[in-house]
Amino acid sequence: MPKPIANQCIVACGRTVDIGTPVVLWNQPGGYRCPHPRGRSGCHQHDPEWNDAPTHPFDTYQIANTEHALEELKQAVHQLILHYDVCYTSHHCHDVLQQSAAMGSHFYLDLDGTLYQTCDLYWKTNTAPADDGKGNERSIHVEMANLSWQARAEESDLYHAKQDLYVRHGKRWRLQLPDAYRNTLRTPGFHAHPARAHGERGYFSRRINGRIVRMWDFTEEQYQALIRLCIGVHELFDGHFPLKVPLDKNTGRTPLDRLRNFASFRGILGHAHVQAGTAPGVKCKYDPGSAFDWGRLRRAFEAYRRNAS
Ligand SMILES: [Zn+2]
């Protein structure tokens, strides 16, 4: 059984919405604090010196007028960007971001479906500059635990996996998580199974921004929590934030490459949709990758709209 937790709320400008799934906040036991918060240039309820300045102590990031701040935030933010973290677990992801010079992410989504919010959404986290360098100003980010191609021995140049890290157990695949990482999950003894498997080989393979990305799927627990997070952000922003993912009307599918209207798109999209590395110093990105089930999000949002109307 998972450790008991009271909180199911996410927070923007001090305002909370219950999303019906466990969320560990930065100020709760077991929480993670964003290692490098920044101010958003479109928001004015903080000292503008914090905008792109070196990190101050976490507790100095105070919002002057939370009501005005939320109104400004609604104007400034219109994208929720999905990432895979190329890590074993969210604890691992936090370690990596902490050691980076300036990076962070508003949310981590762990293998067992636990969400971690690392700071109030008023703040900016440096997660994805996008091809115009303004990606973080308009976005909220979630880093979802998944090793992507690093789980395949053949392609694991970062962690040097000796064997594929997903192994078949009967009909299901299972992530072979080293104990040191497994012990960081909130749900003791949790085993990560991909929500879907592709054919006999298990992993999915599709071309994204010019690269073939081979990876196993996210877990069922991650999809369920992610859908609740998307709906929660939509509700927190009083509907200013549409429950919409990119859709190609000709194919009826979500395209995987960088979008032409990546800066103006309003809704939920992937890092790869906003960043193909066309600007100097900006890397090409592929997340949330070939296994991510965009159709599931579309169907969940349609069901939400049906129930709401
Ligand atoms: Zn990313």
Side-chain angles (χ1 to χ4, degrees):
M1 286 296 288
K3 290 175 199 159
I5 180 166
N7 186 62
Q8 301 199 120
C9 289
I10 59 172
V11 187
C13 306
R15 178 175 167 186
T16 61
V17 160
D18 188 328
I19 65 169
T21 192
V23 184
V24 184
L25 297 176
W26 64 91
N27 54 7
Q28 294 179 321
Y32 301 113
R33 287 174 163 203
C34 177
H36 308 103
R38 299 282 186 267
R40 298 180 193 268
S41 60
C43 296
H44 302 91
Q45 303 304 317
H46 64 276
D47 186 337
E49 281 193 7
W50 300 343
N51 284 2
D52 282 305
T55 312
H56 294 259
F58 190 90
D59 291 332
T60 61
Y61 292 82
Q62 301 283 338
I63 308 166
N65 181 322
T66 52
E67 227 167 276
H68 288 175
L70 186 59
E71 287 312 307
E72 287 185 340
L73 191 65
K74 286 182 199 167
Q75 301 305 319
V77 167
H78 57 92
Q79 298 186 339
L80 172 63
I81 311 258
L82 314 184
H83 304 259
Y84 55 53
D85 61 6
V86 201
C87 288
Y88 286 98
T89 62
S90 292
H91 183 89
H92 181 202
C93 173
H94 182 66
D95 268 356
V96 170
L97 295 179
Q98 226 169 359
Q99 285 162 32
S100 74
M103 292 190 71
S105 171
H106 299 98
F107 294 102
Y108 308 143
L109 175 48
D110 216 342
L111 295 168
D112 64 353
T114 301
L115 278 160
Y116 295 88
Q117 183 173 351
T118 70
C119 61
D120 190 294
L121 300 185
Y122 176 78
W123 303 108
K124 179 173 84 172
T125 61
N126 283 330
T127 324
D131 279 345
D132 64 349
K134 296 178 185 147
N136 291 312
E137 294 288 349
R138 58 177 174 255
S139 305
I140 295 164
H141 298 279
V142 53
E143 288 278 4
M144 306 184 286
N146 186 295
L147 286 158
S148 186
W149 64 72
Q150 296 296 335
R152 295 187 70 239
E154 210 177 300
E155 293 188 89
S156 180
D157 54 346
L158 193 57
Y159 303 129
H160 306 289
K162 292 192 177 57
Q163 294 153 352
D164 287 352
L165 292 177
Y166 286 83
V167 170
R168 205 167 167 151
H169 284 251
K171 285 190 174 164
R172 299 174 88 189
W173 291 81
R174 190 158 100 178
L175 173 62
Q176 306 299 294
L177 203 54
D179 282 346
Y181 292 111
R182 203 137 70 85
N183 293 339
T184 69
L185 295 172
R186 197 179 62 87
T187 311
F190 182 83
H191 285 287
H193 303 278
R196 300 165 309 149
H198 185 82
E200 287 298 301
R201 66 177 194 214
Y203 61 85
F204 289 74
S205 172
R206 289 178 76 185
R207 184 179 294 276
I208 302 172
N209 286 335
R211 174 176 185 150
I212 303 282
V213 180
R214 301 177 184 91
M215 63 182 282
W216 278 269
D217 200 2
F218 296 85
T219 67
E220 175 60 27
E221 290 81 0
Q222 286 177 305
Y223 280 112
Q224 289 187 14
L226 176 65
I227 288 164
R228 288 179 177 269
L229 175 66
C230 295
I231 293 169
V233 169
H234 170 74
E235 291 178 349
L236 206 44
F237 281 65
D238 299 318
H240 277 244
F241 199 108
L243 279 175
K244 189 179 148 195
V245 300
L247 182 68
D248 182 331
K249 293 209 172 79
N250 296 321
T251 63
R253 300 180 77 173
T254 292
L256 301 183
D257 293 340
R258 220 280 318 272
L259 305 177
R260 218 175 297 166
N261 64 337
F262 71 93
S264 59
F265 182 91
R266 300 178 72 85
I268 294 115
L269 68 186
H271 195 174
H273 288 131
V274 300
Q275 195 171 321
T278 56
V282 174
K283 287 186 186 155
C284 184
K285 289 293 177 172
Y286 315 97
D287 48 331
S290 54
F292 187 76
D293 191 352
W294 289 101
R296 179 162 183 181
L297 259 60
R298 288 200 305 269
R299 291 189 296 277
F301 299 159
E302 279 160 23
Y304 172 83
R305 277 191 285 273
R306 269 199 308 277
N307 290 339
S309 63

